[in-house]
């Protein structure tokens, strides 16, 4: 999302909160202590939220990859069984439109670790090191294996347990339905330019 829209959304949210606070303080008959507490809490939340958003901007996205993108670089984090940490694959890429022109700034994404993905990413990195520009594509028509109700219940239970106090560092991350078979890399195609008039 464009940062301008993020700033506008936050501004609108704060305006709503301040409006509710003004209503609470000026037009209700609750105890003065509650009014003071609500005011202090709202004022304290503003810098905390500003700091939190600033931290989030540098975090890799766990959302869906664009269907077509230019692969810029990647880093693989091996699983650590001793510390109970799952592996991750971080990719830095730039989305491409249907005519192979870059769209927006580059962005970092995180993907679940898998041997198939490691092979594909390492091969792409090797070709990038040799000077090739690599284009990744996601086959949205690729049929994923249907998860059984038991497997889905286990995934949800694992996600809930991670968000409990004392859970792992992956709390808050979405369960990704990304499958490495959907991803393929090839030499980046040239942008499609309009034909010159005769």
């Amino acid at each position: 999302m464009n940062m301008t829209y993020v700033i506008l959304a936050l501004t609108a949210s704060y305006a709503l909160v301040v409006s509710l606070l003004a209503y609470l303080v000026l037009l209700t008959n609750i105890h003065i202590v509650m009014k003071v507490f609500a005011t202090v809490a709202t004022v304290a939340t503003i810098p905390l939220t500003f700091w939190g958003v600033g931290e989030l901007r540098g975090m890799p996205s766990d959302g869906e990859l664009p269907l077509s993108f230019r692969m810029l670089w990647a880093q693989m984090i091996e699983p650590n069984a001793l510390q109970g940490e799952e592996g991750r694959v971080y990719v830095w890429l730039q989305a491409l439109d249907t005519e192979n022109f870059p769209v927006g700034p580059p962005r970092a994404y995180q993907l679940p670790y898998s041997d198939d993905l490691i092979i594909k990413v390492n091969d792409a990195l090797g070709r990038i090191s040799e000077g090739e520009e690599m284009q990744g594509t996601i086959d949205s028509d690729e049929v994923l294996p249907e998860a059984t109700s038991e497997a889905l219940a286990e995934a949800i239970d694992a996600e809930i347990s991670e968000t409990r106090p004392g859970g792992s560092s992956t709390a808050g991350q979405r369960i990704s339905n990304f499958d490495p078979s959907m991803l393929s890399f090839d030499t980046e195609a040239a942008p499609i330019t309009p034909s010159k008039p005769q």
Side-chain angles (χ1 to χ4, degrees):
M1 179 183 290
N2 189 299
M3 191 55 62
T4 301
Y5 294 126
V6 174
I7 293 172
L8 290 175
L10 285 174
T11 302
S13 300
Y14 280 126
L16 177 61
V17 171
V18 170
S19 299
L20 294 174
L21 177 63
Y23 173 79
L24 180 69
V25 171
L26 300 175
L27 301 177
T28 63
N29 296 322
I30 63 174
H31 197 276
I32 186 66
V33 175
M34 294 300 297
K35 292 182 178 181
V36 171
F37 176 78
T39 303
V40 171
T42 302
V43 172
T45 300
I46 293 175
L48 288 174
T49 305
F50 181 80
W51 173 82
V53 171
E55 290 293 307
L56 286 174
R57 285 186 301 177
M59 298 295 289
S61 170
D62 60 355
E64 300 292 335
L65 293 179
L67 296 181
S68 179
F69 58 86
R70 176 185 298 162
M71 172 84 165
L72 301 173
W73 201 248
Q75 182 177 7
M76 283 74 73
I77 306 298
E78 298 283 340
N80 189 328
L82 294 178
Q83 297 182 1
E85 295 178 355
E86 298 179 358
R88 288 285 183 269
V89 178
Y90 297 96
V91 293
W92 192 37
L93 53 87
Q94 186 167 30
L96 300 175
D97 63 16
T98 55
E99 296 180 341
N100 293 328
F101 284 99
V103 178
R107 189 171 186 189
Y109 288 81
Q110 71 172 12
L111 299 172
Y113 187 96
S114 73
D115 292 335
D116 291 342
L117 181 60
I118 294 299
I119 292 172
K120 290 184 177 183
V121 170
N122 275 328
D123 180 64
L125 287 178
R127 295 170 68 178
I128 291 173
S129 299
E130 294 173 357
E132 289 189 56
E133 289 191 343
M134 299 303 298
Q135 180 175 353
T137 54
I138 301 294
D139 183 5
S140 58
D141 295 328
E142 181 75 25
V143 178
L144 296 177
E146 294 185 1
T148 64
S149 57
E150 292 180 1
L152 182 59
E154 290 176 2
I156 294 173
D157 184 62
E159 181 73 5
I160 292 173
S161 65
E162 289 174 353
T163 60
R164 292 173 183 155
S168 72
S169 60
T170 59
Q173 295 174 356
R174 287 175 280 184
I175 299 175
S176 175
N177 63 351
F178 175 79
D179 189 285
S181 64
M182 302 166 62
L183 174 64
S184 61
F185 289 105
D186 203 349
T187 303
E188 184 175 329
I192 301 173
T193 56
S195 57
K196 295 181 180 179
Q198 299 294 332

